[in-house]
Amino acid sequence: PMSAESIFAAVQEECLPGIWSKGVALTRVDGAVILDAERGSELQLRVQVPGKPVSPKVTLWVDDDDTFCNCGAKVEPCEHVAAAVIALKAGRLA
């Protein structure tokens, strides 16, 4: 598997502590982060948020340490991106 260390560290460094904590909480649910597609080092994932009908879509460009989420949060990276890199590093993608 590709190395997630670099993108994990980059997101953790940029993330506000409260948002990082929300990301950690999201990954405590088994199968919360779902890998939809993998194209080289580009990963498309969905993050299931309890009580929310729509799962935000996260894109990770692992080689570039770049991320995007379609949730529309004003603060980046959002908790969905945090959850995605945490699950990726922990090998907990569904």
Side-chain angles (χ1 to χ4, degrees):
M2 63 186 76
S3 172
E5 294 289 336
S6 178
I7 195 168
F8 176 90
V11 171
Q12 188 175 31
E13 190 176 305
E14 285 177 42
C15 226
L16 294 173
I19 290 177
W20 183 259
S21 296
K22 284 184 183 174
V24 170
L26 284 173
T27 62
R28 290 202 179 112
V29 179
D30 274 338
V33 182
I34 299 153
L35 180 61
D36 266 348
E38 187 173 344
R39 294 183 200 89
S41 73
E42 178 187 310
L43 304 180
Q44 292 190 333
L45 310 109
R46 277 179 296 129
V47 181
Q48 294 186 313
V49 181
K52 297 273 177 75
V54 177
S55 302
K57 291 191 171 110
V58 174
T59 306
L60 303 178
W61 291 273
V62 177
D63 288 351
D64 301 324
D65 291 346
D66 197 11
T67 65
F68 175 76
C69 181
N70 71 350
C71 74
K74 290 184 173 50
V75 181
E76 289 180 17
C78 65
E79 66 260 36
H80 312 113
V81 165
V85 298
I86 292 164
L88 178 66
K89 182 170 180 249
R92 293 191 58 192
L93 298 178

